[in-house]
Amino acid sequence: MSETSARRSRVEGYESMGAARVGVVTFPGTLDDQDAARAVRHAGGEAVPLWHADRDLKGVDAVFLPGGFSYGDYLRCGAISRFAPLMEELIPSARAGLPVLGTCNGFQILCEAHLLPGALTRNENLHYVCRDQRILVENATTAWTGDYAPGQEILLPVKHGEGRYVADAATITALEDGGQIVFRYLGGNPNGSVNDIAGVSNEAGNIVGLMPHPEHAVEDLTGAPGVDGRGFFSSILKRFVNL
Amino acid sequence: MARVIVDVMLKPEILDPQGQAIARALPRLGFAGVTEVRQGKRFEVEIDGPADEAALADVRKMAETLLANTVIEDYSVRVEQ
Amino acid sequence: MARVIVDVMLKPEILDPQGQAIARALPRLGFAGVTEVRQGKRFEVEIDGPADEAALADVRKMAETLLANTVIEDYSVRVEQ
Amino acid sequence: MTDSVKRASETPDEPQPYAELGMKSDEYDRVRAILGRRPTSSELAIYSVMWSEHCSYKSSKVHLRQFGTKAPHSEALLVGMGENAGVVDIGDGWAATFKIESHNHPSYVEPHQGAATGVGGIVRDIMSMGARPVAVMDALRFGALDAPDTRRVLPGVVEGISSYGNCLGLPNIGGELVFDPCYIGNPLVNALCVGLLRKDQIKLATAPGPGNKVVLFGARTGPDGIGGASVLASATFEDESHAKRPAVQVGDPFMEKLLIECCLELFEADVVVGIQDLGAAGVSCATTELAAKGTGGMRVDLGLVPLRDPSLLPEEILMSESQERMMAVVTPEDIDAFMAICTRWDVPATVIGEVTDTGRLVMTWHDEIIVDIPPGTAADDGPVYERPFHEPAGQAALNADDPVRLTRPTDLRSTLLDLLASPNLASKEWVTSQYDRYVRGNTVLAMPADAGVLRIGEVMPGAEETDRGIALATDGNGRYARLDPYAGAQLALAEAYRNVAVTGARPLAVTNCLNFGSPEDPEVMWQFAEAVRGLADACRVLGVPVTGGNVSFYNQTGSTPIHPTPVVGVLGVLDDVGRRVRHGFTAPGLKIVLLGDTGDEFGGSEWAHVAHGHLGGLPPHADLEAERSLAGALVEAAERGLIEGSHDVSDGGLAIALAEAALACGVGGEVQLPGTDAFVDLFSESAARAVVTVRPEWFDAFAELCARYEVPCYGLGMTGGASLRVEGVLEIPVDELRAAHRTTLPAVFDS
Ligand SMILES: Nc1ncnc2c1ncn2[C@@H]1O[C@H](COP(=O)(O)OP(=O)(O)O)[C@@H](O)[C@H]1O
Ligand SMILES: [Mg+2]
């Protein structure tokens, strides 16, 4: 059986998770929505498309804000998207505990919306960077990282021009002390992020944002080498099966 | 019709790699005596009516919520002379 | 020590996609009455000595060769009050 | 005062600035003859731009015909030359469309915007075929790496391609980056886009059906790229304010992204009768071409065109090259549905006219008729030149200057490292890491693989299931073409064809971008004629038709032209993309096999260039039959799963191929050279060769397969270890190879 046919059969062990519904948001300029939806389906979940202009979360169990260049990344990445009608629904739900994952542009939107602390700024070397990056999973207790071991090293692609995480010193200390630094870059910081921060969570751990792209590391055939991104999707799906 | 200017600059404590890159390039290009460069944004906002207090308050709100990210940036609003 | 401000804006005839995107978003955010937004850059250049004519001429040259892309941008130089 | 048709008839002798618009006096006379009067200034705008070299191909047409007349029979060809892009059948109901186009001159003037809008333009060409654009590639040429000009232009070009392509969500899956002093002042920026569509969804640029609406949608029209039009405006109106119009176009990738999604929804809803992108010559080109290919007539009210700058005059609107615009023909029944989809995507759309059956393109401006022409005369009946050509004066001497006279090295270890660190062979990662190669999640192979490979099964949700994939490569070697443009063009095709085949894909079709000096120089024209003849002949032998392309003339500084640089793109198909062959040495313990024979061929080689700065003699022999056999063997071996990894042998020869193969996954290897002269074995650039790795237990089956294809096959050694060892010649740790390979570009561009 070739890899292509293999991709059609769902990842073993997750057949029963069909019930978990993960919303995938599309803003104008979102790019990775199809990839995110595919990764959700691949793990056995149902991907529910959510449209930025609809004030409707369609009763999903969790929400994925994918990467891209929403509104062209004009002004600041995520600055315009965070005002979308859908966000008006999402913000209170997330504060109330709805699991939300933002990758890349999604992370930027979560910061702009103040659902996560800090901000993402221009890469230190001023260049967009696309490369396969080693990442350390520091916190395996969030809604999206339960399937990883704490201290596990994974390989995910990064691809962004504005991924340098910054926050004031007090915020960084609070994040470090509170275990809210979920991911750190290993083997070279691609963007100059403070303390090599690749991703953070809110205090409750239901909202996670990171610059790397787990949805591009779920298949052998395509994307980055390896399938280290699968854990994000299995983590969130298991959570709902176990409810 | 009036033009309101909104200047947005990174807070002093936030690293500004663009400004630094420029400052580093200057000596090579033969410019001496520059101690620091910071790069920010400038918005020219054209408004329909006069730039009265109400309009300026509106622009200030726009700057606060949209044009600047106050986590990392400061802004200032003024009417163009 | 003095601070010289260089404002760089796209020439009026050049498309400003960023400004347009902002202007289009404003009504949705509840801001009415804005007819146009243009986005440019603002540089704060700190110089060693006083901002005399020689220093300003230097900064002007810097703007012309480095800070602005004069194919598509205009710039203006002034001493911060 | 508007220069209306009525006014033109009343003032037949009014002088017109046709020469300033680049028109020859006999061309102007022809326009007068066609119209039976002097053209209005708007008509003059249309004819001058439509009859320009860029739009009419007046110097190249007589040669390009060979791509049609010599074309091999191809079952796969669905749409051939003459449309916005060619379309080929890739099986299971799917089709692919691809094309490469130049944006050389704009990229020199304003590197970032020039290159960005180059990507934008080619993407719209692909959209106008009804396809979803799925990937881009870029073939770049600059002056010497350390030239100040290169340091200015290259970073801007790369940033332009990166920011525009990344923002559209199109993975960049390959391209080229070559440095040669001949490109100083004339960088080449050639952008390729590939799109996918269902076979029954092909759209054409045509405006049939009187009463159908003509819709302009996308960005508003501004004074972009209309430096030329200001001549007209000021000549007719003596209005100073129009004297200063920018020649630079600025792109809005966000608008383009919205346009892509909007167009796909429009196609899906089946509310488009005909569609055309607006590229060079904007509204002039779109209206004349759509009308000429449709029912033959169109009425347009130019006053309805949404403007970014309300002071634009009709002549300027006609010539504006504002980006991110498209024109569609829509039936009156579908127009509401069409508009609703545009609204959903925030894409402004305006009905500006209607299809007629009058055979005339009529445009009005504030109720006056300003254009009234038979559209075909502008779109199709432009001038055609049989430009004189002859072999360049120094050509024979150049070819006689054989590289055999060059001193050959004794220290092959340092020769290898020097070559590996030389600008043309060094790692291009500084550039490619600025491009998103993963977006859309279908990238199977990208940099540094020989060809980009995409899976197509997941492209459009709900479309037919397929295991197929496509592979794409572009190549071109200006030095080879300078030595022999006929063979040089064939070698460019052969290399792209081979690069596609080493991934296991069957080559199907060709696109090309022909970058040359001035066609008015008979020596350049000879290079052009020879290159086209060579390419057309080679396509016939290899069985791959040319489906489209682009010609870029006037790439020269003063009277010195660039090397003739035909860049050739080849598209191939994999029946099962899971069977694609990976790049380089993927694991230890595999047999390293060289396919193809090596001769003493150093004309135009990287070694002669790097070690001696020499260009002379003849390029390697273009043995197309051998290329065809090699590709056949590679494709069958891949289908049968007989090969693990591969890499073609080209610039820098076997030595560089082995080094790059080792660098791919950090796996070394040990080889024994097959020939008697280690230097020739390692650095000759003989074509029709590739290195593959094979599991030892499958070697016999593989060798038998090669024998059947009559492909020479040499077992060189085994993969493994931390260094590349050539027995009795050299040993270099992979880390040392990597250090040599990776530092060259950053050393220049990060300082
Ligand atoms: N070198 C070439 N080889 C084959 N076809 C070419 C070549 N150059 C141009 N063409 C074809 O001529 C037609 C007009 O080219 P072009 O003006 O570039 O198209 P467009 O108007 O879509 O930009 C296209 O169909 C193109 O594919
Ligand atoms: Mg076209």
Side-chain angles (χ1 to χ4, degrees), chain D residues 84 125 276-277:
Chain D
N84 283 313
D125 265 325
Q276 169 76 298
D277 59 294

Side-chain angles (χ1 to χ4, degrees), chain D residues 57 67 81-84 99 101 125 512 514 546 548-551:
Chain D
Y57 290 82
F67 292 145
M81 285 189 317
E83 284 295 331
N84 283 313
K99 185 175 168 186
E101 210 162 65
D125 265 325
N512 66 97
L514 304 174
V546 171
N550 171 245
V551 176

Side-chain angles (χ1 to χ4, degrees), chain D residues 546-597:
Chain D
V546 171
T547 64
N550 171 245
V551 176
S552 172
F553 279 133
Y554 300 103
N555 294 288
Q556 58 183 57
T557 306
S559 61
T560 312
I562 59 164
H563 288 338
T565 312
V567 171
V568 180
V570 171
L571 175 113
V573 66
L574 285 136
D575 294 338
D576 180 350
V577 69
R579 297 278 186 190
R580 54 80 182 77
V581 179
R582 292 182 171 86
H583 179 65
F585 299 162
T586 52
L590 302 173
K591 237 177 139 66
I592 302 171
V593 182
L594 171 65
L595 301 178
D597 279 326

Side-chain angles (χ1 to χ4, degrees), chain D residues 485-700:
Chain D
Y486 181 87
Q490 299 201 325
L491 287 162
L493 170 65
E495 189 177 343
Y497 175 92
R498 195 185 321 131
N499 281 333
V500 161
V502 294
T503 67
R506 193 159 21 89
L508 268 193
V510 174
T511 183
N512 66 97
C513 190
L514 304 174
N515 304 277
F516 287 77
S518 164
E520 294 160 47
D521 175 346
E523 300 191 343
V524 169
M525 208 52 216
W526 176 82
Q527 295 175 326
F528 181 79
E530 283 294 285
V532 171
R533 192 169 68 83
L535 185 56
D537 287 347
C539 285
R540 199 221 278 277
V541 178
L542 295 179
V544 283
V546 171
T547 64
N550 171 245
V551 176
S552 172
F553 279 133
Y554 300 103
N555 294 288
Q556 58 183 57
T557 306
S559 61
T560 312
I562 59 164
H563 288 338
T565 312
V567 171
V568 180
V570 171
L571 175 113
V573 66
L574 285 136
D575 294 338
D576 180 350
V577 69
R579 297 278 186 190
R580 54 80 182 77
V581 179
R582 292 182 171 86
H583 179 65
F585 299 162
T586 52
L590 302 173
K591 237 177 139 66
I592 302 171
V593 182
L594 171 65
L595 301 178
D597 279 326
T598 307
D600 187 332
E601 299 188 279
F602 287 92
S605 68
E606 273 310 323
W607 170 75
H609 177 68
V610 171
H612 296 278
H614 176 266
L615 178 59
L618 288 171
H621 176 50
D623 185 346
L624 300 168
E625 291 299 344
E627 296 286 358
R628 202 184 161 112
S629 304
L630 176 66
L634 286 165
V635 171
E636 187 185 325
E639 273 167 6
R640 289 171 49 194
L642 291 178
I643 39 188
E644 298 296 309
S646 62
H647 187 20
D648 91 308
V649 179
S650 55
D651 304 349
L654 178 65
I656 296 302
L658 291 172
E660 289 171 345
L663 287 170
C665 305
V667 175
E670 256 189 60
V671 301
Q672 195 148 29
L673 295 175
T676 50
D677 182 333
F679 171 72
V680 171
D681 267 346
L682 285 174
F683 298 104
S684 163
E685 295 188 2
S686 293
R689 294 183 300 159
V691 170
V692 298
T693 57
V694 181
R695 288 183 193 226
E697 63 269 29
W698 293 343
F699 179 70
D700 289 343

Side-chain angles (χ1 to χ4, degrees), chain D residues 177-210:
Chain D
L177 176 57
V178 175
F179 301 95
D180 191 289
C182 76
Y183 302 110
I184 280 205
N186 283 284
L188 303 185
V189 176
N190 294 180
L192 178 150
C193 182
V194 57
L196 292 171
L197 64 161
R198 268 121 76 192
K199 227 167 106 171
D200 53 13
Q201 283 202 328
I202 298 173
K203 294 277 181 267
L204 297 178
T206 170

